[in-house]
Each structure stands twice: as C-alpha cells, then as structure tokens.
Amino acid sequence: MLKVENVSKYYGTLKAVDNLSFEVKDGEIFGLLGLNGAGKTTTFRMIMCLIDDYTGKITLDGKKIDYTMTDKIGFLTEERSLLTKMTVLDQVKFYGVLKGMNEEEIENKLDYWLDKFSISEYKNKKIKELSKGNQQKIQFICAIIHEPKLLILDEPFSGLDPINVELFKNIILEFKEKGTSIIFSSHRMEHVEMFCEKLVVLVSGKSVLSGYLKDIKDEYKKKNVIVCGDIDKKKVNNLDGVIKVEKEANEYIIKIKDSSYVSKIFKEISKFDNITKFVVEDASLNEIFIEKVGEAYEK
Ligand code: ATP
C-alpha cells in the first residue's frame, strides 16, 4: 500500500504541493487529478524519489520510499522518455537493467508483451521508426517490465486509438487483479471514470475533493435527465428544480437540483409530443470536476 501523509513541497516561495494526504491500497486504482500546474507531476516525482526535499512522509508497504525502492515502482510519464535512436529491445533492456533485472529475463518478458500488443515485428526496429501509439506501447512496457508493486500512469492513453485504449485498459486491470497499487492521472475524465475507484482533485497543490468515486457521486445531488422529443425548452427551463436545459445532437440534457424533482418533471415532460426517451443519470465526473475546481478558484 502507498501512503502519502501531509506532504508539502516548495519551489522557492511557490507551494506546489500543500499538505497532501492519500493512500492507495493493494489492487486499487487511484486517480490524481487537477488542472495544468496543480501539482500532479511534482507528487509523482516525490513518490519516485526524484524529488526528496519535501516535508511529510511517503511510504510503500510501511517503508519510507527512498532510491533503493524505485525498482518496486513503474512510472509511465506523460512526456515521451524513450531514446529514439535505440532499438525497442535495447531500450527495454536499458530500463529493465536499471530495475535490477537480468537480460534474459527482460527479453522473455519483452517477447510476451510485444506479442500481447501485437507488435512483435518491431523488436529490433529503432524507436523513431514506430508510430506514436506504438511508441506509447513501448513506454508502457518499460514501466511494467519489472512487474512493479506500485504503477504510476500519467496520461497512459495519450496517442492511442479506441482499440488500443481498450487493450491498455484490460492490461491495467490485470495488474490491479494481481494486487498492484495504481495511480492514474488524466485530463480525460471519462477515462478516470472508467476505472478509478478513488481519487483526489488538486487545485494549486491542495486537495479540493477526495474519496471514493461512488461516494463523491452520491454526495453530489445534481442529476441529468436525458430526453428525446419535441419539448419546449423555455417551459422546461422554468420548471421547479430545473437548473438548465441544453441540447446535444438530438437529445435534451436537463440538469436538475436533485432526484426529488424527477417525478414532477416526468409528468410535465410527458405532456409534450413524440417523447421517446426519459432517462435520469448521475452527473458525470467531468461536471463535478469543473464545478469543484471552479469553486476552489472563486474562494
Ligand atoms: P500538468 O498537468 O501541466 O503536467 P502538474 O499538475 O503536473 O501540471 P506540476 O508540474 O507538478 O503540475 O507543477 C506544479 C507547480 O509547480 C506549477 O506552478 C509549476 O509551474 C511549478 N513547478 C513545477 N516544477 C518546477 C520547478 N522545477 N521549478 C519551479 N517551479 C516548478
């Protein structure tokens, strides 16, 4: 289990991370979210021991993380960190050896992963000859080749097509099943929602929202009613409990204060013609994120 306790980090006078605490249990996928400059990379770098002049405590399975433990951690960085003139095999060997593996073990594992990603033919090709998506696969393999206890994934789906997003997702879930603690960061809320059970949202290094996604959604009372049909937008806007009505493609999205208004709204909507859909949904993580981050900036 990863435990981050009351961690703060200054760059000169700038407090980049402000008294941050969270834990990621074995087999848990945790989302670390925030706008640009919120302090995510700084937090990753402290966990990885690339920054050590911070206050507070970061432990993995009860032991303070220091440079001797980095072979227990895998880090997929947002920016490309591959040496493009190297071959795939040499690049992965380079990372594997750094993580304490021997060359034979690295090559066996690499063969397994290249096959899994259907890119075995690139083993002896130079990184620069690979497409962006395939480079992302190699970067991912470098992060997992040593089967880390803690896996940090910063924008892992960047540059991937939907089929490969699904493939990555399944592999990440396999690691979760094996008990790996996973920290996931992305600006794409639908990806976070897809598999993070717990999260923290940072604004200027400070947590403004944290906990289990399910609890966050339960506490956030606002709902969306999705309607298809010929409604009078103005009339619906004036109904009790309605916050606003938006049109998206052939649907109306009616944002309401909470579920207690649903039955009255349903009665009113059914008076309009051609109603073919009336569905009540939880607010998306994206909506919650935008509201909470916005509120934090207004304070
Ligand atoms: P992004 O989503 O854009 O990658 P982030 O959440 O990862 O952003 P950080 O890179 O951790 O944010 O930056 C947090 C704050 O610390 C920002 O204000 C940034 O300008 C500042 N910062 C980051 N690295 C340094 C550094 N080496 N020296 C000085 N300030 C820094």
Side-chain angles (χ1 to χ4, degrees):
M1 177 167 81
L2 172 77
K3 231 175 174 177
V4 172
E5 294 170 86
N6 308 107
V7 165
S8 295
K9 159 74 189 162
Y10 280 90
Y11 292 112
T13 54
L14 175 83
K15 203 170 196 180
V17 174
D18 188 356
N19 199 26
L20 179 63
S21 298
F22 63 85
E23 55 182 49
V24 190
K25 298 196 176 94
D26 295 354
E28 209 163 54
I29 305 183
F30 180 85
L32 184 63
L33 313 178
L35 299 180
N36 295 127
K40 304 174 300 287
T41 308
T42 303
T43 304
F44 291 148
R45 294 175 70 83
M46 290 189 288
I47 294 170
M48 284 294 297
C49 247
L50 299 169
I51 294 176
D52 56 9
D53 57 339
Y54 62 85
T55 57
K57 205 167 146 192
I58 304 178
T59 55
L60 185 61
D61 294 335
K63 281 188 222 127
K64 187 174 182 331
I65 298 184
D66 60 26
Y67 70 95
T68 63
M69 287 167 73
T70 52
D71 58 351
K72 293 191 167 44
I73 308 174
F75 187 15
L76 175 70
T77 55
E78 186 184 6
E79 63 279 2
R80 300 245 179 270
S81 57
L82 299 172
L83 302 165
T84 56
K85 287 181 188 160
M86 271 188 165
T87 64
V88 167
L89 175 61
D90 289 343
Q91 176 72 103
V92 177
K93 268 189 187 166
F94 174 81
Y95 276 106
V97 169
L98 281 181
K99 298 290 182 183
M101 297 170 75
N102 69 51
E103 295 203 357
E104 196 188 336
E105 191 189 358
I106 297 168
E107 195 160 349
N108 287 339
K109 289 244 166 79
L110 173 63
D111 288 340
Y112 169 82
W113 286 113
L114 289 177
D115 180 53
K116 188 125 180 157
F117 281 117
S118 313
I119 50 168
S120 297
E121 69 272 28
Y122 294 115
K123 183 173 168 183
N124 293 303
K125 288 254 188 306
K126 289 193 172 143
I127 303 281
K128 64 179 177 188
E129 295 172 65
L130 273 59
S131 69
K132 211 168 128 202
N134 284 336
Q135 288 189 16
Q136 182 72 351
K137 291 178 187 172
I138 302 304
Q139 198 156 310
F140 187 66
I141 293 173
C142 291
I144 58 174
I145 193 85
H146 58 301
E147 301 202 354
K149 185 81 208 7
L150 170 68
L151 182 56
I152 301 173
L153 302 171
D154 194 2
E155 293 288 359
F157 304 128
S158 136
L160 295 181
D161 61 47
I163 304 280
N164 280 308
V165 167
E166 202 54 28
L167 180 65
F168 263 53
K169 187 184 144 196
N170 289 334
I171 293 171
I172 295 168
L173 289 175
E174 278 174 31
F175 273 90
K176 170 186 159 70
E177 288 306 311
K178 279 193 273 186
T180 310
S181 305
I182 300 167
I183 307 184
F184 176 88
S185 186
S186 175
H187 294 295
R188 301 278 301 273
M189 291 302 138
E190 72 274 23
H191 288 159
V192 176
E193 211 157 352
M194 196 158 71
F195 57 16
C196 287
E197 48 233 284
K198 222 161 94 176
L199 56 89
V200 63
V201 176
L202 297 181
V203 170
S204 307
K206 235 189 181 128
S207 161
V208 294
L209 179 69
S210 66
Y212 283 93
L213 182 58
K214 196 189 161 306
D215 296 340
I216 289 171
K217 286 208 163 190
D218 285 349
E219 276 165 34
Y220 189 84
K221 300 275 180 245
K222 293 175 195 165
K223 303 276 172 208
N224 292 329
V225 180
I226 320 295
V227 172
C228 277
D230 302 332
I231 65 166
D232 181 335
K233 206 175 151 190
K234 251 193 183 160
K235 260 191 192 165
V236 177
N237 238 325
N238 289 330
L239 293 176
D240 208 17
V242 171
I243 301 168
K244 62 175 173 180
V245 183
E246 285 169 354
K247 184 145 198 237
E248 258 181 36
N250 60 343
E251 292 182 338
Y252 287 95
I253 300 166
I254 306 168
K255 299 197 182 295
I256 63 170
K257 286 182 185 159
D258 62 62
S259 54
S260 68
Y261 294 95
V262 170
S263 58
K264 270 193 184 159
I265 291 171
F266 179 71
K267 257 188 214 155
E268 293 301 321
I269 295 286
S270 33
K271 290 178 189 164
F272 294 111
D273 291 332
N274 303 324
I275 300 299
T276 53
K277 183 174 179 180
F278 183 97
V279 178
V280 183
E281 287 180 354
D282 283 339
S284 67
L285 179 59
N286 198 44
E287 290 174 273
I288 301 174
F289 177 89
I290 289 170
E291 186 172 310
K292 294 291 171 189
V293 171
E295 277 171 9
Y297 272 109
E298 280 160 20
K299 276 178 195 165

